[in-house]
């Protein structure tokens, strides 16, 4: 089975290196960035509205290798990589929930940026709070 993925666009972010970027999108309120959608995919953003939230799936293009266990920043314990949000993963796929501020042609301006400049965007999905299970 061959798995093919190609970017639908790229992030234009104020963060140029990993040390400057916010660790999570929820920690960067007020900071904005842009997703520049490639021309062949522009029709796919037709119904994204200003003020809506979305899930951006992207590729950690600056990550260098991975280990199956890593130090969790949250608990300061060694944990399996799939129990963390580490950018150093076997497939390097990241996910952030963002708020779309404005749409201009092929550009989606958003807040909640924790991606580096030049990050390839793999997909955008609508965020729907009702789809988040509550197991209480």
């Amino acid at each position: 089975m061959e798995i093919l993925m190609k970017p639908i666009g790229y992030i234009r972010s104020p963060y140029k290196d990993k040390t400057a970027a916010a660790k999570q999108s929820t920690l960067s309120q007020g900071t904005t960035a842009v997703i520049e959608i490639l021309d062949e995919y522009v029709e796919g953003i037709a119904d994204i509205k200003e003020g809506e939230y979305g899930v951006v799936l992207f590729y950690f293009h600056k990550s260098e290798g991975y280990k199956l266990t890593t130090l969790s920043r949250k608990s300061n314990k060694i944990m399996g990589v799939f129990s963390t949000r580490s950018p150093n993963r076997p497939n390097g796929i990241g996910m952030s929930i963002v708020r779309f501020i404005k749409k201009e042609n092929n550009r989606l301006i958003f807040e909640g940026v924790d991606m580096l400049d030049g990050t390839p965007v793999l997909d955008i999905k609508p965020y729907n709070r009702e789809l988040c299970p509550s197991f209480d």
Side-chain angles (χ1 to χ4, degrees):
M1 172 174 58
E2 185 176 348
I3 298 173
L4 298 175
M5 272 197 268
K6 61 181 188 173
I8 62 165
Y10 293 88
I11 302 287
R12 299 297 167 222
S13 165
Y15 302 126
K16 307 301 182 205
D17 64 68
K18 292 186 267 187
T19 59
K23 301 301 179 206
Q24 301 295 323
S25 61
T26 56
L27 301 176
S28 68
Q29 280 103 1
T31 303
T32 61
V34 175
I35 300 172
E36 291 181 347
I37 300 295
L38 298 175
D39 289 342
E40 62 195 280
Y41 301 110
V42 170
E43 188 177 354
I45 64 169
D47 298 301
I48 293 177
K49 306 277 189 281
E50 296 174 6
E52 288 182 338
Y53 288 85
V55 177
V56 177
L57 300 169
F58 56 91
Y59 182 67
F60 286 114
H61 68 297
K62 297 283 186 172
S63 290
E64 299 170 359
Y66 67 91
K67 295 180 183 177
L68 292 177
T69 58
T70 188
L71 181 64
S72 168
R73 292 186 186 136
K74 186 176 179 180
S75 69
N76 207 33
K77 295 178 183 176
I78 298 292
M79 298 180 72
V81 71
F82 303 125
S83 297
T84 73
R85 293 184 55 91
S86 170
N88 302 312
R89 320 180 69 77
N91 287 313
I93 297 171
M95 179 197 86
S96 293
I97 297 171
V98 304
R99 183 171 168 262
F100 298 112
I101 303 300
K102 191 171 189 178
K103 182 170 58 173
E104 299 173 336
N105 302 317
N106 73 324
R107 299 165 41 93
L108 293 170
I109 296 104
F110 69 95
E111 65 181 0
V113 57
D114 58 353
M115 308 90 159
L116 299 179
D117 191 56
T119 296
V121 175
L122 302 174
D123 203 357
I124 301 169
K125 297 181 181 289
Y127 174 78
N128 186 332
R129 187 176 305 242
E130 287 113 36
L131 297 178
C132 296
S134 176
F135 295 107
D136 296 351

